[in-house]
């Protein structure tokens, strides 16, 4: 099946990870027409496999990446206001051990980290004494505590796609970009839906935001462009039953100088990661190895009194970082910065490639990308994303929103109300406004997942499969039994027919 009349647009964005979705939202908000195609579900590759931290990256100070750290630290405050539903401040404890970085160096690093960018919502660092009542092994007497932030990375992608769609963009998950031919002032690109239907898109500019696939995509747009190279580095996480009850995270230094995070995760679990392993395979097929599991467990068992084994692991996930290539550099030391390349004069079709980046700096990357593209689109308006909340994010604090909902929806169970506030912010009004009792939420699939929420995700947030719902729109896959998954699967198949 092929549609012959081209669909005309200003921008065709390839890739619905955080960078593609961020650029789509920014560009659509400036008045550009946008088509975004994503071969899988939105955020299904690297952007849902991150450590979920909005952070400056304390360790990048050692690599003297001051500019990167400054930009990232500034974005923490911007994003906390933009997405207060899916983000929260997070305190980190860095246990000190004599054989690792000296205390004076850590204090200096934290002094710089505290002051490099303005901090309104986040508390400063401090030194604390640990005692035997804590979760750490008895030989650890000192910790340093500092602030960063946590985000639901997969939902951040979806919220940007929703923002883009609200501004008129056409968002097409499960649609693969095949190739593009350059005409004079535009591209004729072929995309293909999951059902095999191909369509031609006539676009003034193509944005290649294909993350780990950026080089293969570039090859299908400009085969003769050999000027760029990327380094792919796999990073894996393990999820285990909660190692401690407090709400702070830990940053652990390994003897190889790498750091590993232990982060409170979905109420009952701890998320532990990550690794850095050079990767040459298919980015769509990436899995944790036994060595990575052992590596992560060895550091946790060294620092915590509770000993954890491979049998305790309840879930793992891995992603591939698309990093800018730097010669003679180890995987963990390769820069997490980004580069935007642009080719094509005002008389020619335009191509932008996005290399590298972090979840933390996606908004800034998107703004810079569209600033660069704006010269080809004289009607484009000014940058706008720094102060406008993402969909559902127009409220001051989660506690105030929760109180408001307790008044508006007094029948709603309190824990469920808390979940909706953190997952959707004001977006949950779209499925709560027409509902007046718990029974009216419809079928209960387990663990607080009700039919109205599933319907909303299917109708409004592009969710089609159990994976989309249980692992990206929510993280309920951690709790669902095989039977509950089958039940949900059956319900979704009725929606698809
Ligand atoms: C283990 C790990 C931990 C990390 N932790 C953090 C962290 O804590 N904080 C932070 O700020 N950053 C972190 N990062 C970095 C961050 O996750 C990435 O920089 C970011 O997600 C990259 O986004 P992207 O949009 O470029 O790529 P992706 O999310 O991979 O998106 C690219 C998309 O393009 C699609 N695509 C490819 N080819 C085609 C095609 N032909 N047609 C249609 N679609 C196509 C893919 O399916 C994919 O969804 C981490 C990364 C990893 C791997």
């Amino acid at each position: 099946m092929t549609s012959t009349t081209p669909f005309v647009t200003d921008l065709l964005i390839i890739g619905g990870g955080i960078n593609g979705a961020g650029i789509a939202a920014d560009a659509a908000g400036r008045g550009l027409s946008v088509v975004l195609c994503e071969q899988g579900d939105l955020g299904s590759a690297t952007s849902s496999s991150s450590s979920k931290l909005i952070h400056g990256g304390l360790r990048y100070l050692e690599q003297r990446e001051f500019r990167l750290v400054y930009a990232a630290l500034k974005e923490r405050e911007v994003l906390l206001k933009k997405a207060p539903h899916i983000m929260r401040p997070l305190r980190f404890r860095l246990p000190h051990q004599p054989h690792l970085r000296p205390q004076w160096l850590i204090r200096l690093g934290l002094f710089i980290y505290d002051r490099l960018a303005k901090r309104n919502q986040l508390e400063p660092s401090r030194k604390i004494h640990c005692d035997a009542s804590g979760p750490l092994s008895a030989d650890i007497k000192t910790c340093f505590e500092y602030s960063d932030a946590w985000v639901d990375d997969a939902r951040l992608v979806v919220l940007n796609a929703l923002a883009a769609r609200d501004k008129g963009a056409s968002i097409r998950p499960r649609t693969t970009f095949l190739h593009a031919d350059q005409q004079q002032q535009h591209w004729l690109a072929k995309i293909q839906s999951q059902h095999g239907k191909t369509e031609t898109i006539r676009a003034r500019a193509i944005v290649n935001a294909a993350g780990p696939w950026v080089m293969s995509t570039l090859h299908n747009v400009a085969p003769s462009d050999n000027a760029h190279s990327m380094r792919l580095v796999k990073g894996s996480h393990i999820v285990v039953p909660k190692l401690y009850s407090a709400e702070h995270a830990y940053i652990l230094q390994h003897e190889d100088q790498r750091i590993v995070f232990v982060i409170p995760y979905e109420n009952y679990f701890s998320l532990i990661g990550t690794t850095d392993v050079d990767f040459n395979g298919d980015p769509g097929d990436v899995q944790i190895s036994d060595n990575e599991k052992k590596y992560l467990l060895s550091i946790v068992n060294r620092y915590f009194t509770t000993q954890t084994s491979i049998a305790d692991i309840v879930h793992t996930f891995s992603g591939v970082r698309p990093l800018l290539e730097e010669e003679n550099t180890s995987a963990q030391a390769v820069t997490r910065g980004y580069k935007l390349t642009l080719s094509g004069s005002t008389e020619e079709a335009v191509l932008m490639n996005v290399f590298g980046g972090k979840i933390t700096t996606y908004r800034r990357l998107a703004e810079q990308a569209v600033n660069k593209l704006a010269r080809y689109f004289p009607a484009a308006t000014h940058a706008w994303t720094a102060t406008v909340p993402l969909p559902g994010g127009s409220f001051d604090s989660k506690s105030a929103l929760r109180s408001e909902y307790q008044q508006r929806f007094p029948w709603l169970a309190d824990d469920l109300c808390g979940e909706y506030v953190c997952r959707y912010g004001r977006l949950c009004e779209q499925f709560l406004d027409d509902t007046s009792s718990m029974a009216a939420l419809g079928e209960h699939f387990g663990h607080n997942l009700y039919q109205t929420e599933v319907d909303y995700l299917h109708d409004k947030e592009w969710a089609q499969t159990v994976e989309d719902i249980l692992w990206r729109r929510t993280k309920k896959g951690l709790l669902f039994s095989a039977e509950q998954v089958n039940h949900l699967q059956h319900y979704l198949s009725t929606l698809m027919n």
Side-chain angles (χ1 to χ4, degrees):
M1 273 183 297
T2 305
S3 153
T4 43
T5 320
F7 185 98
V8 179
T9 186
D10 292 331
L11 291 190
L12 170 63
I13 299 174
I14 304 164
I18 191 59
N19 289 328
I23 293 170
D26 190 308
R30 297 204 212 184
L32 273 60
S33 57
V34 174
V35 173
L36 178 148
C37 69
E38 160 56 49
Q39 63 189 358
D41 181 28
L42 294 166
S44 54
T46 322
S47 297
S48 55
S49 310
S50 81
S51 304
K52 303 165 207 319
L53 302 178
I54 298 294
H55 61 157
L58 192 54
R59 75 195 166 93
Y60 306 138
L61 285 178
E62 269 184 346
Q63 294 156 11
R64 296 194 180 81
E65 296 230 38
F66 294 110
R67 228 197 277 203
L68 173 71
V69 178
Y70 169 70
L73 289 175
K74 254 176 71 177
E75 281 304 291
R76 291 184 315 192
E77 293 279 341
V78 174
L79 295 178
L80 276 166
K81 284 215 175 101
K82 228 178 132 58
H85 35 348
I86 58 162
M87 264 189 83
R88 61 183 154 80
L90 182 60
R91 291 291 277 175
F92 281 82
R93 285 194 181 173
L94 190 160
H96 185 257
Q97 297 228 295
H99 63 280
L100 297 169
R101 294 167 179 90
Q103 289 206 20
W104 68 264
L105 185 62
I106 297 170
R107 294 189 89 141
L108 176 66
L110 289 173
F111 180 84
I112 298 171
Y113 205 70
D114 274 347
R115 285 163 184 76
L116 208 52
K118 212 161 97 185
R119 221 173 359 89
N120 295 325
Q121 305 187 54
L122 299 170
E123 292 188 20
S125 61
R126 63 182 183 135
K127 181 176 172 178
I128 52 174
H129 294 287
C130 310
D131 60 40
S133 63
L136 298 177
S137 57
D139 59 323
I140 299 169
K141 308 285 183 219
T142 304
C143 279
F144 293 92
E145 202 180 79
Y146 69 95
S147 293
D148 262 323
W150 185 91
V151 70
D152 185 328
D153 51 3
R155 290 208 56 77
L156 187 66
V157 177
V158 170
L159 293 187
N160 275 278
L162 285 172
R165 186 177 65 188
D166 289 348
K167 304 272 182 194
S170 169
I171 304 295
R172 309 202 192 175
R174 299 178 170 88
T175 304
T176 303
F177 163 80
L178 299 176
H179 58 84
D181 293 323
Q182 186 165 2
Q183 309 292 303
Q184 282 200 319
Q185 258 205 331
H186 59 261
W187 299 96
L188 282 184
K190 281 266 186 294
I191 61 174
Q192 184 172 45
S193 76
Q194 62 178 336
H195 306 297
K197 185 177 168 212
T198 56
E199 187 179 350
T200 305
I201 307 283
R202 183 187 150 122
R204 176 80 180 85
I206 285 183
V207 177
N208 172 9
W213 290 264
V214 68
M215 294 307 297
S216 54
T217 302
L218 176 58
H219 187 75
N220 289 331
V221 182
S224 57
D225 187 337
N226 295 316
H228 309 286
S229 61
M230 292 294 289
R231 180 147 173 199
L232 299 184
V233 174
K234 174 168 72 150
S236 299
H237 291 84
I238 56 176
V239 180
V240 300
K242 209 159 156 167
L243 291 174
Y244 54 93
S245 56
E247 288 185 357
H248 55 258
Y250 283 93
I251 172 170
L252 310 178
Q253 303 175 84
H254 220 319
E255 277 155 1
D256 61 6
Q257 296 293 305
R258 288 196 68 262
I259 49 118
V260 169
F261 296 110
V262 180
I263 302 167
Y265 195 52
E266 298 296 314
N267 295 327
Y268 309 107
F269 304 97
S270 295
L271 175 66
I272 302 167
T274 171
T275 53
D276 283 287
V277 183
D278 276 313
F279 184 79
N280 300 311
D282 170 7
D285 181 22
V286 50
Q287 278 164 17
I288 192 167
S289 67
D290 281 348
N291 276 347
E292 287 176 281
K293 288 182 191 168
K294 285 181 198 150
Y295 174 87
L296 293 172
L297 289 173
S298 73
I299 183 164
V300 167
N301 287 337
R302 190 187 167 110
Y303 276 87
F304 284 84
T305 46
T306 304
Q307 295 296 290
T308 310
S309 71
I310 288 198
D312 296 312
I313 297 174
V314 295
H315 180 57
T316 65
F317 60 88
S318 304
V320 178
R321 301 177 182 88
L323 302 179
L324 293 167
E325 181 64 289
E326 287 173 332
E327 269 178 32
N328 304 322
T329 309
S330 65
Q332 74 257 29
V334 181
T335 181
R336 267 55 172 169
Y338 58 82
K339 188 162 98 182
L340 301 169
T341 65
L342 190 63
S343 56
S345 71
T346 45
E347 311 303 316
E348 290 169 324
V350 178
L351 172 64
M352 172 172 277
N353 295 297
V354 178
F355 296 105
K358 286 168 53 120
I359 299 272
T360 307
T361 42
Y362 89 91
R363 191 206 62 80
R364 195 166 166 272
L365 179 153
E367 189 173 273
Q368 289 175 352
V370 183
N371 284 346
K372 278 174 184 278
L373 289 164
R375 73 182 163 110
Y376 302 95
F377 302 99
T381 51
H382 293 295
W384 62 282
T385 58
T387 50
V388 178
L390 282 164
S394 308
F395 60 89
D396 288 334
S397 74
K398 284 190 185 106
S399 56
L401 188 63
R402 198 162 168 170
S403 306
E404 182 188 323
Y405 285 169
Q406 279 158 351
Q407 303 282 318
R408 257 171 89 176
F409 311 112
W411 48 268
L412 186 62
D414 190 49
D415 58 337
L416 188 55
C417 180
E419 278 194 38
Y420 287 165
V421 165
C422 294
R423 208 151 47 240
Y424 301 105
R426 290 201 178 279
L427 284 175
C428 67
E429 294 165 21
Q430 294 189 23
F431 57 89
L432 289 180
D433 271 346
D434 294 333
T435 318
S436 53
S437 67
M438 284 299 290
L441 291 177
E443 193 165 355
H444 183 217
F445 295 102
H447 303 283
N448 265 349
L449 185 69
Y450 288 87
Q451 187 178 345
T452 38
E453 182 178 357
V454 172
D455 291 349
Y456 161 82
L457 291 173
H458 174 267
D459 296 346
K460 302 284 163 87
E461 293 198 5
W462 302 278
Q464 289 194 8
T465 68
V466 284
E467 287 246 320
D468 302 349
I469 290 179
L470 296 181
W471 291 108
R472 286 182 287 276
R473 305 306 182 280
T474 76
K475 296 287 183 287
K476 292 189 185 285
L478 286 166
L479 304 171
F480 263 49
S481 66
E483 200 183 325
Q484 288 168 325
V485 172
N486 285 339
H487 183 194
L488 178 62
Q489 169 82 64
H490 175 72
Y491 178 70
L492 285 176
S493 60
T494 64
L495 291 183
M496 305 299 285
N497 292 329

